[in-house]
Amino acid sequence: MSEEQTLELLIGPQHPGSGHMRLVAEMDGDVILNFEPNIGYVHRAVEKIAETKTYVQIIPLVERTSLPDTANHNLGYVLALERLLGIDAPLRAQYLRILLAEINRIHSHLYGMGIHGNMIGSTTMLMWAFGDREPFIELAQRLTGARLSYSYIIPGGVRRDLPQDFRNDALKALSYMERRLKDYDRIFVHNPVTLARLKGVGVINRIDAARIGVVGPNLRASGIAYDVRKIEPYCIYPDLDFEVVVRDEGDAHARLLVRIGEIEQSISMIRQILGKIPDGSILADRYLDLVPSRTRFEKRSSVKFPALFSGLKPSKGEAVSRVEASRGELFHYLVSDGSTHPYRFRIVTPSFKNLIAFKHALLGQKLADIPAVYGSLDYFPPEADR
Amino acid sequence: MTRVLLTKQNGLSITVDASKILETAHLLKNLKFDHVISVTATDYPEENRIDVIYHVSSFEDLELAKTILEIRTTVSRQEPNIHTLVAVWPSIEFLERETTDLMGINFGGREAMARLLLPEDFEGEPPLRKSYTIRTEGIDA
Amino acid sequence: MNVVEQLLQILLSPTIIIPLIFPGLLTTFLVIIFIAWFERKLTAKVQLRYGPLYVLKSLGGLPQLVADLLKFLFTEIIIPKGSDKKAFILSPIFLFTLSMLPVVAIPLSNSYAAFFSDLSLLLVLALLTITPIFMLLLGWSSNNKFSFIGSLRDGYLMMAYEIPMFVSILAMAVAYDTLDLVQVVGRQSSGLWGIALNPLAAITFFVAMLMTTARFPFDVAEAESELVIGPYTEYSGIIFVLCLGASYAKLSVLSLFFAEVFLGGWNPLIWPLTLNPILPGVAVFVKGLLVMGLCVFMRSIYPRFRIDQVLKLGWHTLFVLSVASVALSLGIVWVLGF
């Protein structure tokens, strides 16, 4: 192929379809010969900032890496920190953590589906999905007091107890979502145009998926039943009955269907959690004893960050944690030198692992497939850049 | 392989010499460790070393997937050179590029790559090293 | 006095009124305002939103487009350095004018048209086929890769819709045995409208019409997530409005055309009512607006096809359909002996 026959197309960072990144596509006519994502436009050096913050200050910081998926990022970090500290959260707190994590997974998947819909031109899917995130964001707000940046999960427990009327509203939201999923199916998921756009597009086969190390729904859409919630179950996942949604096609449509399957699984998990959440404390006894006004805490059933957290000093050592965030496996690695700040903090976010899929899934595809595949990967640039 | 350790969370940690990293990777790849979860470099300026830590696991073998294997190796701060593993584990590509950017580790044996996370024209101390001075803005400045 | 009278006579003559006022520029402008509002309002309804609301709340935000237009009027027109300036400025003007022009050949009653021709059926379409040339020029002169790809896609699209469109109209010409729109409407006075006479041709023409006017799911030339806004990427201010207006003007013209060929034109109005062009004109416009409404409704149902899929659809399905519609027409003529 001689130089003159190809066209180098720079998509982004100022482009409605690129997100905070630059996509460099080498085109031969309408066919992509080479594809290189260029990221870093929203790099905020979270790992470096973390070295200057106390352990508890890092909780809101890690949430900033991925705003649609804060609960899982919060959880992943706190699990690593708890391993360093050597404490466990009480059972009720564990249930509440997973409750929030699954609520978050639903609205994060809806976010991804909405963007995906918009990218292939279905503004209806965008508006519906974003509209239907609202009940879940509201639920999370009831539980945590915040719409997106919850900072709900703290070392040794959670910040607030389940509100009084939460259960009924949650069940209402869940059955609403189940109805809506049927609507989505008709207008978008099995719309003939969607099928034409997504079927067989951006295929990552099983072998490639493992080789290039994509994670999350993208991996499971390629036929690998890898889900951290099953492989290395954390919190109360062993007690919950759920399936790992797997599809074998590996194309953009399979990735969409896996996300929808996961929303269904999350709905069922939230029902189970609401059904069997045990009574008890929401903060580990070790910290509860140190909370100055224990009686007030019990009356208000919420934890005001106790001053002791600001001086949290884990012993020297290292801890890793992995959780299944909405976009895939989220890895935290924490090195402590015994001071109040981590010596080294490493996050590998699912979007960063999925970045490589762009290079592989788009080769030989058409120009118009770039947004179709981009959306199907549910790639979130700020999460990748950290 | 110089040291094998069992970590707290049913993980395994092995320490190898930086020159042996490629062989180790090949060996592990044959044991079905098929992808890299993370590449972490940790700077220890007092001891004049940078630890490069690989976390690898498996997707193909879901039993093996329950383990995160840690491969630790050390390079010097002045000559932070180590062989690339991109030929063994393609999934390491962006992780290595990120580490080059932020920690200044040179992964030999792969073609020179443009900067990934930092601006193209970034110069000076790699930002994640401890010797990097953080410039603050606003009221702290 | 005499001069003024003469001037008035010239101004009120059909050759001026038709292109400028009814059904020309002014009416089309009003129709565009309405249909753009209707599109947004309808899409908003489907998508659980309000849509335009605050510009005259009592009318539900109907004059929103007027407000947008005023805003665009005062927006600086930026002409990129590397562009071909003359072509860059002139091609949207030509594009819009040519999209509007076919309106002169569309009669609104037996005696009301700016340009009577016994070939008006072909004339309308023939005038519209010139517009893609300016679309290409527009993309080329912008000197932007996205504009260029967008206008190329528009050129390709033309390949997909043009032939089925002409062939389906040919089918109707065979069925009606005329190329004159006035007669076409006359033939439908029996109550057997074109859409019932030859539904294949109607479907083909409708889909081709969606392609021509870049409605969803054939919005490939302007595909926002791929090409920013396709050929118009570098445009700003009032010339950008002309670009956008051109596709609506085309939609309006083609919908009127569809109403005349397939929906019976000013039928079922009969002789004494058709003397004054207002009433039959309104009838045609109402039918046209219904067609337009259906076209813009596609936005809330369908995502966007890929260009190769559109071409495939054009050649594999539409073309075959259009040929079948000609066969159907021949059959009809043979059986009914029109």
Side-chain angles (χ1 to χ4, degrees):
Chain A
M1 196 60 60
S2 71
E3 194 83 5
E4 297 85 45
Q5 273 178 300
T6 62
L7 176 76
E8 192 188 42
L9 203 56
L10 302 176
I11 304 171
Q14 303 280 343
H15 186 288
S18 73
H20 312 284
M21 66 197 284
R22 166 170 275 172
L23 305 164
V24 186
E26 196 189 343
M27 312 287 304
D28 174 23
D30 204 23
V31 179
I32 300 164
L33 293 182
N34 205 353
F35 197 82
E36 191 70 45
N38 181 355
I39 64 166
Y41 289 88
V42 275
H43 177 58
R44 289 147 294 168
V46 165
E47 291 178 9
K48 186 71 179 177
I49 296 172
E51 290 175 13
T52 69
K53 302 272 180 204
T54 61
Y55 283 97
V56 81
Q57 283 176 320
I58 297 173
I59 292 176
L61 181 66
V62 290
E63 289 186 336
R64 265 44 177 193
T65 55
S66 176
L67 277 174
D69 192 21
T70 46
N72 287 299
H73 281 248
N74 186 179
L75 179 59
Y77 168 71
V78 169
L79 284 181
L81 181 54
E82 284 182 347
R83 279 167 194 167
L84 267 185
L85 294 163
I87 53 162
D88 269 325
L91 197 57
R92 186 174 175 82
Q94 306 242 15
Y95 267 89
L96 289 172
R97 284 175 177 189
I98 301 305
L99 175 65
L100 185 66
E102 292 304 324
I103 288 175
N104 204 151
R105 191 181 314 276
I106 292 177
H107 75 66
S108 173
H109 278 343
L110 285 176
Y111 180 95
M113 272 167 64
I115 300 277
H116 191 191
N118 192 36
M119 277 186 167
I120 64 168
S122 178
T123 43
T124 302
M125 189 61 231
L126 171 76
M127 292 298 167
W128 281 12
F130 271 64
D132 294 337
R133 282 175 80 209
E134 207 60 19
F136 293 94
I137 291 174
E138 283 290 322
L139 280 183
Q141 187 185 9
R142 288 275 206 79
L143 186 61
T144 68
R147 279 169 62 84
L148 281 178
S149 48
Y150 308 123
S151 299
Y152 179 65
I153 299 159
I154 55 176
V158 293
R159 270 197 304 114
R160 307 216 290 192
D161 207 346
L162 203 62
Q164 284 286 304
D165 45 355
F166 185 84
R167 192 177 317 230
N168 281 336
D169 290 345
L171 291 175
K172 249 185 253 169
L174 293 179
S175 43
Y176 170 75
M177 194 63 229
E178 278 175 335
R179 280 201 309 278
R180 289 298 279 171
L181 281 178
K182 292 194 188 97
D183 293 346
Y184 292 175
D185 202 70
R186 281 200 292 268
I187 198 93
F188 180 65
V189 183
H190 285 101
N191 188 314
V193 182
T194 311
L195 291 178
R197 283 300 302 275
L198 300 183
K199 280 261 179 205
V201 167
V203 177
I204 306 173
N205 62 34
R206 196 192 147 92
I207 295 164
D208 272 348
R211 201 171 57 90
I212 64 177
V214 294
V215 291
N218 303 334
L219 180 71
R220 294 191 281 277
S222 296
I224 297 176
Y226 179 89
D227 188 322
V228 183
R229 292 174 292 177
K230 283 277 191 218
I231 300 293
E232 192 191 310
Y234 49 95
C235 294
I236 53 147
Y237 280 117
D239 302 338
L240 294 180
D241 178 30
F242 69 101
E243 283 167 28
V244 178
V245 186
V246 183
R247 293 193 76 87
D248 294 325
E249 297 93 332
D251 58 5
H253 198 249
R255 294 193 273 273
L256 176 65
L257 290 178
V258 166
R259 289 209 174 79
I260 289 177
E262 289 195 357
I263 291 178
E264 284 164 358
Q265 292 298 323
S266 294
I267 289 174
S268 127
M269 271 188 256
I270 294 173
R271 286 219 175 95
Q272 294 173 42
I273 290 170
L274 292 172
K276 60 182 180 186
I277 182 165
D279 288 334
S281 174
I282 57 165
L283 192 64
D285 286 342
R286 192 166 122 194
Y287 292 134
L288 209 51
D289 296 338
L290 295 171
V291 174
S293 53
R294 187 169 173 166
T295 46
R296 220 173 71 203
F297 156 74
E298 272 161 3
K299 209 159 69 196
R300 290 177 19 185
S301 66
S302 71
V303 181
K304 225 174 141 190
F305 274 99
L308 68 109
F309 275 165
S310 63
L312 219 51
K313 271 190 192 167
S315 53
K316 211 168 161 177
E318 295 174 2
V320 300
S321 82
R322 52 175 166 172
V323 294
E324 187 71 27
S326 306
R327 291 174 177 73
E329 182 189 63
L330 170 70
F331 178 84
H332 286 276
Y333 173 62
L334 207 49
V335 181
S336 159
D337 59 353
S339 71
T340 53
H341 312 284
Y343 187 75
R344 176 83 168 90
F345 175 52
R346 173 83 173 133
I347 326 175
V348 179
T349 48
S351 283
F352 190 60
K353 293 301 294 291
N354 284 333
L355 180 63
I356 197 165
F358 280 96
K359 289 185 69 163
H360 291 261
L362 276 167
L363 295 188
Q365 302 286 336
K366 308 275 166 47
L367 172 63
D369 292 333
I370 295 175
V373 173
Y374 186 146
S376 77
L377 292 171
D378 198 4
Y379 178 80
F380 188 58
E383 187 183 283
D385 287 4
R386 287 154 292 153
Chain B
M1 216 168 290
T2 49
R3 207 157 65 115
V4 180
L5 265 179
L6 208 60
T7 62
K8 269 186 235 164
Q9 307 142 35
N10 62 25
L12 202 63
S13 168
I14 59 178
T15 310
V16 296
D17 197 75
S19 59
K20 296 275 167 41
I21 190 72
L22 195 60
E23 293 164 44
T24 316
H26 272 298
L27 197 76
L28 290 169
K29 171 97 191 221
N30 291 337
L31 291 173
K32 283 198 176 164
F33 283 100
D34 56 11
H35 75 282
V36 182
I37 294 176
S38 151
V39 176
T40 314
T42 312
D43 187 18
Y44 294 98
E46 290 86 21
E47 293 155 52
N48 192 23
R49 69 182 166 98
I50 295 177
D51 281 3
V52 183
I53 302 143
Y54 303 83
H55 290 93
V56 297
S57 187
S58 177
F59 284 147
E60 279 295 324
D61 186 340
L62 291 182
E63 275 305 307
L64 201 59
K66 291 175 180 163
T67 320
I68 298 180
L69 180 75
E70 187 180 273
I71 312 165
R72 305 187 74 100
T73 178
T74 302
V75 294
S76 78
R77 287 187 100 234
Q78 283 77 35
E79 288 177 349
N81 298 322
I82 193 162
H83 201 279
T84 176
L85 301 181
V86 80
V88 188
W89 287 308
S91 50
I92 207 170
E93 159 144 18
F94 288 107
L95 294 164
E96 275 187 356
R97 279 177 69 181
E98 183 199 7
T99 312
T100 309
D101 261 21
L102 300 180
M103 215 32 133
I105 309 275
N106 300 320
F107 291 94
R110 62 182 289 175
E111 73 265 47
M113 281 291 203
R115 287 203 177 274
L116 184 67
L117 290 175
L118 296 180
E120 298 280 312
D121 53 357
F122 183 87
E123 274 174 21
E125 192 78 7
L128 268 184
R129 290 207 185 176
K130 292 284 174 190
S131 45
Y132 180 84
T133 42
I134 301 175
R135 287 190 306 275
T136 46
E137 290 171 3
I139 48 171
D140 294 343
Chain C
M1 213 48 192
N2 229 355
V3 181
V4 174
E5 257 171 38
Q6 264 184 342
L7 211 67
L8 266 174
Q9 204 169 12
I10 293 172
L11 280 178
L12 291 174
S13 73
T15 36
I16 299 291
I17 284 200
I18 287 173
L20 288 186
I21 297 170
F22 184 72
L25 207 56
L26 189 70
T27 317
T28 310
F29 178 66
L30 293 176
V31 166
I32 290 178
I33 287 177
F34 176 77
I35 206 70
W37 169 82
F38 182 71
E39 174 174 18
R40 294 179 61 180
K41 212 68 182 171
L42 189 70
T43 318
K45 197 85 193 159
V46 174
Q47 299 176 351
L48 317 171
R49 301 183 280 123
Y50 286 115
L53 185 64
Y54 290 102
V55 185
L56 271 192
K57 226 169 175 176
S58 50
L59 283 176
L62 182 62
Q64 177 71 47
L65 198 73
V66 181
D68 290 346
L69 250 170
L70 280 175
K71 179 252 167 193
F72 273 119
L73 262 177
F74 293 108
T75 309
E76 186 190 354
I77 298 173
I78 297 164
I79 301 170
K81 251 186 186 159
S83 67
D84 183 337
K85 285 187 185 56
K86 276 182 210 137
F88 186 83
I89 298 172
L90 286 179
S91 43
I93 298 172
F94 277 105
L95 184 70
F96 185 78
T97 318
L98 279 165
S99 304
M100 280 288 309
L101 198 58
V103 107
V104 298
I106 297 180
L108 286 185
S109 82
N110 291 332
S111 54
Y112 189 74
F115 187 78
F116 284 103
S117 156
D118 49 1
L119 293 173
S120 52
L121 197 65
L122 284 182
L123 190 63
V124 172
L125 292 183
L127 283 173
L128 274 179
T129 54
I130 309 174
T131 54
I133 297 170
F134 289 98
M135 196 69 111
L136 275 172
L137 192 61
L138 202 121
W140 181 259
S141 64
S142 297
N143 191 20
N144 177 312
K145 285 173 186 169
F146 296 112
S147 305
F148 179 54
I149 296 174
S151 59
L152 273 187
R153 281 188 180 185
D154 200 76
Y156 277 125
L157 258 180
M158 188 191 82
M159 305 286 171
Y161 67 70
E162 199 111 289
I163 291 170
M165 196 177 221
F166 269 87
V167 175
S168 63
I169 286 306
L170 176 72
M172 295 319 286
V174 168
Y176 296 138
D177 192 25
T178 178
L179 286 172
D180 186 349
L181 274 170
V182 177
Q183 288 188 35
V184 164
V185 177
R187 294 281 149 86
Q188 295 175 80
S189 60
S190 62
L192 185 64
W193 290 356
I195 194 162
L197 188 68
N198 193 339
L200 279 182
I203 292 168
T204 316
F205 188 83
F206 182 74
V207 177
M209 196 173 122
L210 289 178
M211 287 188 187
T212 320
T213 54
R215 298 288 109 201
F216 275 81
F218 307 111
D219 185 31
V220 286
E222 293 164 23
E224 194 197 10
S225 54
E226 299 146 33
L227 302 176
V228 191
I229 187 149
Y232 328 127
T233 305
E234 293 286 1
Y235 281 86
S236 49
I238 198 69
I239 48 174
F240 176 67
V241 174
L242 282 181
C243 295
L244 287 187
S247 103
Y248 278 102
K250 252 196 217 172
L251 178 68
S252 151
V253 166
L254 279 168
S255 299
L256 292 182
F257 186 69
F258 189 91
E260 302 231 317
V261 178
F262 294 102
L263 297 179
W266 50 86
N267 287 314
L269 297 178
I270 41 163
W271 169 70
L273 291 173
T274 54
L275 275 181
N276 187 315
I278 303 281
L279 206 55
V282 168
V284 174
F285 264 99
V286 166
K287 288 175 183 176
L289 280 174
L290 283 177
V291 178
M292 278 183 239
L294 192 60
C295 287
V296 296
F297 184 51
M298 297 294 161
R299 173 181 295 274
S300 34
I301 306 173
Y302 288 115
R304 176 189 303 122
F305 270 124
R306 215 163 54 204
I307 180 72
D308 55 315
Q309 290 164 341
V310 179
L311 290 179
K312 210 171 152 189
L313 186 87
W315 283 105
H316 285 210
T317 316
L318 273 192
F319 182 61
V320 177
L321 263 180
S322 65
V323 172
S325 72
V326 174
L328 184 65
S329 283
L330 287 172
I332 289 165
V333 171
W334 188 61
V335 173
L336 298 181
F338 259 84

